[in-house]
């Protein structure tokens, strides 16, 4: 398990390392994926270090509200709200989670296959 002090997404949220930040709220921030898999590929994360969905609870309602507020607004500003887009959260090894800081992939701008590979 990644420690907070080693967490790349905590460093991005704290602006200790650079990324292309798209928008933010009080408790959440959105930035472009460094290795995009779609024309629009943005990661939306809590500013606080929360590893996975299982770590969410009644005390994280504001954070999740901020995350989905960002997703809605960015889908509009990126021009994909009408054509459609994916919101993906990989959890654990079999889903391919690489970074142990909760993040939602907002992906769009191309046709998506279903089911994912
Ligand atoms: P996961 O596989 O954990 O769901 O997705 C992690 C995502 O984070 C990947 O799409 C990867 O390209 C992205 N990523 C990893 N390190 C960095 C980084 O330092 N900066 C940015 N902007 N994205 C990163
Ligand atoms: Zn973190």
């Amino acid at each position: 398990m990644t420690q907070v002090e080693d967490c790349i997404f905590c460093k991005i949220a704290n602006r200790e390392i650079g990324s292309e930040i798209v928008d933010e709220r009080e408790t959440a921030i959105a930035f472009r994926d460094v290795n995009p898999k779609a024309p629009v590929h943005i990661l939306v994360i809590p500013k606080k270090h929360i590893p996975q969905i299982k770590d969410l609870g009644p005390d994280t309602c504001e954070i999740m509200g901020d995350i989905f507020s960002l997703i809605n607004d960015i889908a509009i500003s990126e021009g994909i709200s009408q054509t459609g887009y994916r919101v993906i959260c990989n959890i654990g090894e079999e889903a391919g989670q690489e970074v142990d800081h909760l993040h939602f992939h907002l992906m769009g701008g191309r046709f998506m296959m279903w089911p994912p590979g």
Side-chain angles (χ1 to χ4, degrees):
M1 184 66 71
T2 311
Q3 299 301 306
V4 180
E5 56 268 23
D6 299 325
C7 175
I8 192 114
F9 284 1
C10 282
K11 288 180 178 160
I12 287 173
N14 294 332
R15 292 176 164 80
E16 288 169 42
I17 64 166
S19 71
E20 194 181 333
I21 292 170
V22 177
D23 199 358
E24 66 181 312
R25 296 284 184 275
E26 191 172 337
T27 70
I29 190 163
F31 53 94
R32 291 191 196 279
D33 196 292
V34 75
N35 184 15
K37 312 290 192 307
V40 176
H41 189 172
I42 290 164
L43 301 172
V44 186
I45 70 168
K47 290 182 178 175
K48 179 181 162 189
H49 185 81
I50 297 173
Q52 284 193 358
I53 281 181
K54 68 174 167 51
D55 303 304
L56 296 170
D59 56 326
T60 52
C61 288
E62 185 189 355
I63 295 172
M64 294 311 296
D66 279 350
I67 285 174
F68 280 91
S69 164
L70 280 169
I71 287 170
N72 274 327
D73 286 357
I74 294 168
I76 292 167
S77 63
E78 294 288 319
I80 55 173
S81 65
Q82 299 295 319
T83 46
Y85 57 90
R86 288 262 169 87
V87 177
I88 298 167
C89 182
N90 295 321
I91 301 153
E93 190 182 345
E94 287 201 0
Q97 182 178 9
E98 290 173 359
V99 180
D100 287 331
H101 181 132
L102 181 67
H103 52 281
F104 294 85
H105 298 254
L106 168 57
M107 301 174 74
R110 67 167 169 81
F111 196 87
M112 306 269 175
M113 303 294 284
W114 187 261

